[in-house]
Amino acid sequence: MARMLPILASKFIIFSLLSLLAMILVTGENHGFARNLDQRLVGLDKKEKLTHIRFYWHDIVSGRNPSAVQIVPPVANASATFFGAINIIDDPMTIGPKLSSKLIGRAQGFYALASQEEVGLLMAMNFAFIDGKYNGSTVTVLGRNPVFSKVREMPVIGGSGLFRFARGYAQIKTYYSNSTTRDAIVEYNVYVLHY
């Protein structure tokens, strides 16, 4: 019997450690303000989907009701690239290139002219959808847009609603631009991985 006590004690210790490890894995570590969760609790047990969204973005700077408003002017000696200028936007997103085509959402955010060498934008936008299945959902894009490149690409960094945990990229091409008014229509092809 005396020989069995150390064996029973070691088995008890191993059982206790395994039980403790199982509790940590199930409940997660808790720091009082943050804790690890089981991914199934937030819908990450579903199969990931790839969605392609195509729309036209209308950046209207001119006229009585612009959708892009300059809030910071460019620095004095940056006339070629407008370096330093910042615009706040609430741009319509439509199915077709005409502003009169079906409105599916609004691109809300800002762009800053962030290059001294070319017309290059730093863009931060939420594509806020107002139509169909994605009504109330958003896709967030943050990235560099060298305006005069034929095709540009910006990363999708997140989303909300049906696009929670989104990631992907947006490929953009200028459809129309007017150098006098600075109005532009841009085709967006957004590829989003989400649950």
Side-chain angles (χ1 to χ4, degrees), residues 18 58 66 84 120 135 140 143 145 151 164 171 186:
L18 288 174
H58 300 265
N135 182 22
T140 304
N145 179 357
V151 178
R164 288 183 190 139
Q171 209 172 47
V186 179

Side-chain angles (χ1 to χ4, degrees), residues 3 11 22 45 50 66 73 79-80 104 109 115 132 159 187 190:
R3 286 186 182 179
K11 285 184 177 182
D45 58 333
L50 174 63
S79 60
I104 61 161
S115 176
E187 179 185 345
V190 183

Side-chain angles (χ1 to χ4, degrees), residues 43-52 133-134 161-168 190-195:
L44 293 179
D45 58 333
K46 301 173 190 157
K47 185 177 178 188
E48 197 169 30
K49 298 177 272 267
L50 174 63
T51 300
H52 172 225
K133 174 181 177 179
Y134 301 113
L162 292 178
F163 294 114
R164 288 183 190 139
F165 298 103
R167 66 189 197 287
V190 183
Y191 300 89
V192 185
L193 283 167
H194 60 100
Y195 291 92

